[in-house]
Amino acid sequence: MSSVPMEMKENTVASSKWLDAHYDPVANLYTFTSCIALADLHGDGENKLVVGDLGTGACNMKLKVYRGTGLLSENTLLDLPTGLVSFLMDKHEPRTPAIAVASGPFIYIYKNLRPYFKFTLPPLEVNALEQDVWSQAKEDMIDPMTLKEMLEGIRDKADIPLSVRSLRFLMLEPQDMEEFVNLHKQQPIRRQTVITCIGTLKKNMADEDAISCLVIGAESRDIYILDPEAFTILCKMSLPSIPTMMDVTGQFDVEFRITVACRSGNIYILRRDSPQPKYCIELSSHPVGLVRMGKNVVVGCAQETLQCYTQKGKKLWTTYLPAPVTTMAMMDLPTRGFQAVLVGLANCEVHVYRDKNLVSTIKTPDVVTSICFGRYGREDGTLIMTTKGGGLIVKILKRTAVFEEKDSVPGPPLAQSIRLNVPKKTKLYVDQTMRERENAIAMHRAFQMDLSRMRLAAARAYVKALESSQTPMSASLSEPLKMNAVVQGLGPSFKLTLNIQNTAACRPVMNLAISFLYDEALYSMRTAFFKIPLLVPGLNYPIDTFVECLTDKGISDVIKVFVLREGKSAPLLTAHINMPVSEGLALN
Amino acid sequence: MGLFDKLAGWLGLKKKEVNVLCLGLDNSGKTTIINQLKPSNAQAQDIVPTIGFSIEKFKTSSLSFTVFDMSGQGRYRNLWEHYYKEGQAIIFVIDSGDKLRMVVAKEELDTLLNHPDIKHRRIPILFFANKMDLRDALSSVKVSQLLCLENIKDKPWHICASDAVKGEGLQEGVDWLQEQIALSNQNDENMRPS
C-alpha cells in the first residue's frame, strides 16, 4: 500500500521541468524585477547576479552581487534604486559590462564593482516669475508673507510648475517662514526630475557584445537616450504621462522601438525620428508587468488578466489569471528557440505562458516579487526569483524538459462531470399523486375554504394589533418609527437597551416619551417613564435603562414598553420583552 | 583471443585494453584529469573547452586505457549516450566548488544510470570530487550525499577528492579502477565455459 504513493511522488518529480538548485529563505533580498540583472562582470564566462536591494526602503540599500550560491560583494547605495541594468559601455577587452543603478535624478555607473561615474539628469526649466520673486526676497525687498501670496498666485496660474523649494515653503507654518527664506535665498532655484525606469538599447550592432545606450524614463514625462561613452543626451522624447515600465528593442542608429507603460494606464510606442508617441494602447486597468514577445507586447493588468497587443495597438488575446500579478519577466532560450512569459502571481505560483497557453506552473514557498531568467553561473536556463519575505530561489531548467504546445489543462470543464443534486421520489409521493388525481375537486374546495378563513383571521388579528399599537413598527405617516429592545446581563440587574430609529426621509420627530409597564413585585426600575430626545431621521438611538429583579424564586415576567406622544394616551409603538430568569441569586 | 595474444598478455608484453568514458558537466576538469594521467612528456600545456569529444590514451601498470573525453557543455551532453555501449568503465567528474550545479550533475548522473545501455551492466564508476583545492569546495562525503551515491546498489563505485591541476588524488582513483577491471575480468573468465 505504502509503495504506491511513493512511486507516484517520484513520477511527479521526474516529470517536473525544473531542478531546485538553491533556496535560501533568509537571503534578505528585497527587490523588484527592475532592479535585478545577470552579467558576466569579470569576463570569465561565469554570469553573476546583480541585485539592487531596496533594504527597508529607508536604509540598508545595497548593491549585492551573487556568485553561485554565495554573496560575492556588497556596495552601499546612497539612495533607493529604481532600476538596474548591465550594459557594455566601451570596446575595451576584456568585455566586462558596467552596472548602471538609477536612483533619484542620478545614474551611478559601476565598473568592476567600483563606483566609476555619476550621471545627473539635466535640470528642468524654472518659472521666470518664480525666479523674480525669489530674487526680490534675496534682496529683502519683500517679506515672507508677500512672498507666500505671490508664489500661491504663480502656482495657480503658471504652466511651468513651481520648484521643490517653493512648494516646501508654501507648506510651512508662518513662524518658520522667515528662517527658511534666510537659509535658502542665496542659492539659485533648480528644478530636478526623478528617474522612474531604465533600459538599454544597442547602439549600432545587434551582437550580444555590442555597446549599448542607456534609455531613461523620468518623472517629467520625458525619455532620454544617453551616449554610452560620453554620457551626453543623444535623443529626448516626451510622453503624455509618466513612464513606469519600459521595453526597448532595435538599434539606436538604425531603427528602434520603445514600449512604455505609463502611470495613466496607457502604453505608448515610440520610434526613431518621432519625438511624440505614434501608437497608444489604452488598457482597462493599470499595467503591472510588460514583456515584449517578438513583435507583440504582453501586459499583465491589475484586473488579473494577461493581455497581448500588436505593436500597432491591436488586441490579440486575453487570458484570465487565478490571482493578481506581482511581477512579469521574459523567458528566452535562444539555443532551443523557446520564448515564453513568466508571470509571478500573488497565490505563490509562477506561471509560464507561451502565447495564451499555460505551459508550466511553478509553486513557490512565498509570493515572488522579482523574476529573472537567463544564464547564471555556467547554466543557460536559470530562473532566479526573490520572494516577499526576502528569500532567494534558484531553479535550473532541465536539459530534457519539453514544453508542450497545447494548454496543460485539456478537456471539458470540471463542472461537466458533477451530477446535479435532484432529489429522489419515493412510493409515498406516487401514492399522494394518485390520491390527488382522484379527489382533485374536493381538495380544491376544502383548500379555498380554509384559505378564506385564514385571511379573515389574519385581518382580525392585524386590526387588533393596530388598535392597541402593539407593533414595534409605527404605521402612522406623521411619525414613522422603528424600535427593538435588547436585554443584556445575567441578573439580578439587567441592562435593557431600546434601539429607536426615525425612518422618515427628512422629518425629525419630537416630543416623544417612553413608559414601561411591569409587575412591581418582581422588578424595579429607577425611572419607568422618561422623555426621549429629538429623533433625527436615519440615526439609531440606543436608550439604556437598568432593571433590577427582586424575586429570588426564579420567576420571570414580561415587561411592556410603550412609546407615547405627548398629549395623547394611545401609544405609538409597543414592545413586549420576555425577561430572562435571574441567575444572579443562584450564583450568590 | 588468439594464443599469441594470450601469451603476450601473460608475459606482460601486451597490456589489456579498456575503454573508459569520462563524463561530467562543463568546467568540471575532465580534460585536465585525463591530461594529468598521461605520461609527462605527452601532457598538453593549455587546456581549452572540449568541443564534441576527444579520444585520449594512457597506460597504467597492467592496463591500457582508451578514454572518451566527452564535452560537458549542455548542447553536447546528448552525445554521451552514443558511447555508452563502448564504455567498460565510467569516470564521472564533479566540480566540488560549484554548489549551484550539483543538482544538474545529479540529474545527468541519474539519466546516465537509467539509460538502457548502462542500467543492467555492472560497470565500475569512479567519481572525482574535483577542484578540492578551492576554498569553498565541498568534501567528497558531502558531494556523495548531494548526488545520492548511496543509492547505487548494483555497480561498484568509488569517490575520491582530487586536485587535477596538481594531480593529487588521481592515482588513488585510477588504482581502484584498475583493481575493479581486473576483478570483473576474472569473473568473466570464470563464467566462460571451459
Side-chain angles (χ1 to χ4, degrees):
Chain A
M1 276 297 280
S2 63
S3 74
V4 175
M6 189 63 196
E7 234 167 54
M8 275 171 64
K9 196 180 159 195
E10 274 173 12
N11 272 340
T12 53
V13 169
S15 65
S16 160
K17 297 178 177 77
W18 301 91
L19 295 169
D20 293 316
H22 180 58
Y23 174 49
D24 183 4
V26 287
N28 216 14
L29 276 180
Y30 299 95
T31 187
F32 296 108
T33 303
S34 59
C35 291
I36 193 163
L38 290 165
D40 183 5
L41 289 181
H42 305 99
D44 55 358
E46 206 175 325
N47 274 19
K48 277 87 184 172
L49 173 71
V50 192
V51 182
D53 186 359
L54 279 74
T56 56
C59 58
N60 265 335
M61 285 86 70
K62 287 213 166 95
L63 180 71
K64 292 183 176 172
V65 180
Y66 275 81
R67 178 179 167 273
T69 55
L71 191 64
L72 190 70
S73 79
E74 261 187 355
N75 282 25
T76 303
L77 291 174
L78 295 178
D79 204 354
L80 203 65
T82 50
L84 183 152
V85 288
S86 84
F87 69 112
L88 285 159
M89 54 187 285
D90 46 35
K91 289 182 180 136
H92 300 317
E93 294 286 341
R95 311 305 305 272
T96 49
I99 301 293
V101 183
S103 50
F106 311 111
I107 294 178
Y108 300 94
I109 312 284
Y110 290 81
K111 280 214 88 176
N112 292 322
L113 294 177
R114 286 193 192 89
Y116 175 74
F117 187 72
K118 176 180 165 185
F119 171 81
T120 311
L121 278 183
L124 301 176
E125 195 186 342
V126 180
N127 195 325
L129 286 170
E130 186 190 355
Q131 204 136 31
D132 280 353
V133 173
W134 275 100
S135 62
Q136 284 176 33
K138 186 179 166 186
E139 283 143 26
D140 290 325
M141 283 154 73
I142 46 173
D143 62 286
M145 286 321 285
T146 354
L147 179 66
K148 185 186 172 189
E149 275 166 28
M150 289 170 86
L151 285 176
E152 273 172 349
I154 298 170
R155 181 182 64 184
D156 295 341
K157 281 178 211 135
D159 34 328
I160 299 174
L162 291 179
S163 66
V164 174
R165 188 208 291 180
S166 302
L167 292 174
R168 192 186 275 173
F169 172 76
L170 290 179
M171 268 165 47
L172 289 178
E173 297 291 326
Q175 66 267 23
D176 301 331
M177 283 179 173
E178 184 84 47
E179 196 187 341
F180 186 87
V181 172
N182 289 334
L183 193 66
H184 291 279
K185 65 186 177 186
Q186 295 305 328
Q187 283 120 26
I189 299 181
R190 291 164 53 141
R191 230 169 57 139
Q192 271 295 11
T193 181
V194 171
I195 298 171
T196 54
C197 53
I198 184 167
T200 56
L201 172 63
K202 293 269 186 294
K203 185 117 195 307
N204 45 24
M205 279 193 292
D207 298 356
E208 198 146 292
D209 60 346
I211 56 172
S212 310
C213 307
L214 287 180
V215 184
I216 306 165
E219 190 79 29
S220 59
R221 304 180 205 167
D222 291 318
I223 300 275
Y224 297 96
I225 300 180
L226 301 186
D227 183 76
E229 276 158 313
F231 285 98
T232 50
I233 292 171
L234 290 174
C235 180
K236 181 184 169 187
M237 291 177 271
S238 52
L239 289 169
S241 176
I242 300 159
T244 56
M245 280 175 293
M246 188 159 63
D247 184 275
V248 193
T249 168
Q251 291 149 48
F252 178 74
D253 289 342
V254 189
E255 172 65 64
F256 63 83
R257 248 191 195 87
I258 306 176
T259 313
V260 196
C262 288
R263 208 167 282 167
S264 60
N266 292 355
I267 292 175
Y268 295 100
I269 295 155
L270 294 156
R271 293 175 61 178
R272 190 184 154 83
D273 305 326
S274 65
Q276 298 287 328
K278 206 157 183 199
Y279 300 105
C280 168
I281 304 170
E282 288 187 6
L283 299 172
S284 52
S285 61
H286 279 267
V288 184
L290 175 83
V291 166
R292 186 181 37 83
M293 286 273 288
K295 291 194 164 180
N296 299 334
V297 182
V298 182
V299 190
C301 290
Q303 276 175 341
E304 306 183 13
T305 54
L306 200 65
Q307 302 182 357
C308 181
Y309 293 88
T310 63
Q311 54 189 351
K312 292 195 172 166
K314 195 178 149 213
K315 191 175 186 174
L316 292 179
W317 48 261
T318 304
T319 303
Y320 294 89
L321 301 170
V325 180
T326 55
T327 187
M328 276 171 70
M330 171 85 170
M331 174 175 168
D332 191 9
L333 268 176
T335 49
R336 289 194 224 171
F338 181 81
Q339 281 196 328
V341 179
L342 293 157
V343 186
L345 299 176
N347 61 354
C348 298
E349 281 180 0
V350 175
H351 285 188
V352 184
Y353 283 91
R354 182 169 195 189
D355 289 337
K356 58 193 293 191
N357 299 328
L358 176 65
V359 290
S360 171
T361 305
I362 305 160
K363 289 224 168 14
T364 53
D366 193 0
V367 179
V368 167
T369 55
S370 76
I371 303 180
C372 185
F373 184 89
R375 185 178 165 88
Y376 179 48
R378 304 186 65 91
E379 199 63 41
D380 273 326
T382 311
L383 174 66
I384 296 162
M385 300 176 278
T386 68
T387 62
K388 205 175 172 183
L392 174 69
I393 307 169
V394 181
K395 284 178 188 279
I396 294 175
L397 188 67
K398 279 187 192 172
R399 183 169 61 90
T400 50
V402 251
F403 291 97
E404 282 170 29
E405 271 299 310
K406 63 177 174 56
D407 214 316
S408 60
V409 277
L414 203 67
Q416 234 175 54
S417 53
I418 297 171
R419 288 186 55 139
L420 291 179
N421 190 14
V422 181
K424 284 199 181 104
K425 293 179 178 69
T426 58
K427 188 168 178 295
L428 192 68
Y429 174 84
V430 180
D431 289 351
Q432 179 72 13
T433 51
M434 293 296 287
R435 204 167 66 81
E436 277 172 14
R437 210 175 289 169
E438 280 158 21
N439 309 316
I441 297 169
M443 282 165 109
H444 177 74
R445 280 187 186 148
F447 178 76
Q448 288 298 327
M449 175 75 108
D450 287 349
L451 184 63
S452 24
R453 278 196 185 136
M454 197 180 76
R455 279 183 185 149
L456 181 65
R460 270 186 189 148
Y462 184 58
V463 169
K464 200 175 159 194
L466 277 186
E467 275 172 351
S468 55
S469 295
Q470 275 173 358
T471 55
M473 295 274 287
S474 148
S476 80
L477 289 172
S478 54
E479 285 99 5
L481 289 177
K482 205 168 86 176
M483 175 171 75
N484 69 58
V486 182
V487 183
Q488 289 167 315
L490 295 173
S493 53
F494 298 95
K495 183 178 173 187
L496 187 73
T497 309
L498 300 172
N499 291 305
I500 300 180
Q501 196 182 354
N502 179 1
T503 55
C506 54
R507 248 180 56 165
V509 179
M510 281 175 288
N511 300 331
L512 292 187
I514 282 182
S515 157
F516 293 92
L517 181 68
Y518 54 93
D519 184 347
E520 288 187 3
L522 290 176
Y523 298 104
S524 84
M525 286 175 92
R526 209 171 299 148
T527 47
F529 176 82
F530 49 84
K531 284 190 171 179
I532 48 177
L534 177 141
L535 298 177
V536 174
L539 293 183
N540 181 31
Y541 289 79
I543 295 164
D544 299 337
T545 50
F546 289 91
V547 180
E548 197 83 21
C549 184
L550 300 173
T551 173
D552 56 353
K553 303 234 165 46
I555 306 170
S556 67
D557 197 18
V558 174
I559 295 182
K560 294 179 184 173
V561 189
F562 303 104
V563 177
L564 308 152
R565 181 168 239 338
E566 260 178 34
K568 276 190 194 163
S569 59
L572 279 169
L573 314 170
T574 316
H576 290 217
I577 303 153
N578 290 309
M579 292 301 286
V581 175
S582 167
E583 292 168 52
L585 291 173
L587 283 172
N588 285 342
Chain B
M1 208 185 253
L3 183 69
F4 181 74
D5 285 350
K6 245 180 193 171
L7 200 70
W10 288 332
L11 294 174
L13 295 175
K14 188 172 181 294
K15 289 176 180 171
K16 201 173 153 36
E17 298 238 344
V18 186
N19 287 338
V20 181
L21 292 180
C22 187
L23 308 175
L25 301 186
D26 51 316
N27 198 39
S28 56
K30 296 173 292 300
T31 309
T32 315
I33 286 180
I34 306 295
N35 194 46
Q36 275 292 341
L37 292 172
K38 291 202 282 193
S40 54
N41 56 348
Q43 281 181 10
Q45 290 305 310
D46 294 325
I47 310 280
V48 291
T50 310
I51 307 293
F53 72 99
S54 63
I55 295 172
E56 305 283 348
K57 288 194 167 131
F58 68 89
K59 286 182 180 148
T60 60
S61 53
S62 65
L63 292 169
S64 164
F65 285 94
T66 305
V67 186
F68 291 85
D69 181 13
M70 311 295 292
S71 172
Q73 288 175 36
R75 59 191 139 166
Y76 294 123
R77 271 179 228 156
N78 46 8
L79 288 180
W80 291 6
E81 58 188 37
H82 298 292
Y83 298 89
Y84 287 171
K85 275 208 179 84
E86 280 98 278
Q88 288 158 283
I90 291 172
I91 299 174
F92 199 94
V93 187
I94 301 130
D95 178 355
S96 24
D98 193 354
K99 276 172 233 164
L100 191 78
R101 292 205 301 162
M102 213 53 88
V103 277
V104 185
K106 182 181 186 306
E107 170 73 15
E108 294 297 346
L109 179 65
D110 289 347
T111 21
L112 163 77
L113 293 175
N114 289 322
H115 193 272
D117 287 346
I118 297 287
K119 196 166 187 177
H120 303 295
R121 288 168 61 200
R122 199 183 145 77
I123 56 172
I125 308 176
L126 170 63
F127 294 93
F128 279 120
N130 198 21
K131 304 199 189 182
M132 66 164 187
D133 54 313
L134 291 185
R135 202 157 49 91
D136 54 348
L138 299 168
S139 68
S140 57
V141 179
K142 188 81 195 153
V143 170
S144 66
Q145 263 177 10
L146 286 174
L147 296 184
C148 302
L149 296 186
E150 69 273 12
N151 292 346
I152 307 175
K153 298 271 163 53
D154 55 345
K155 291 178 183 60
W157 60 270
H158 182 71
I159 183 163
C160 40
S162 68
D163 173 3
V165 178
K166 293 198 186 106
E168 284 166 22
L170 300 182
Q171 202 49 51
E172 180 206 339
V174 174
D175 288 348
W176 176 85
L177 200 60
Q178 198 174 315
E179 201 176 287
Q180 286 298 320
I181 291 166
L183 267 176
S184 67
N185 280 340
Q186 266 179 20
N187 286 346
D188 283 357
E189 305 263 318
N190 293 343
M191 300 272 276
R192 201 168 290 164
S194 53

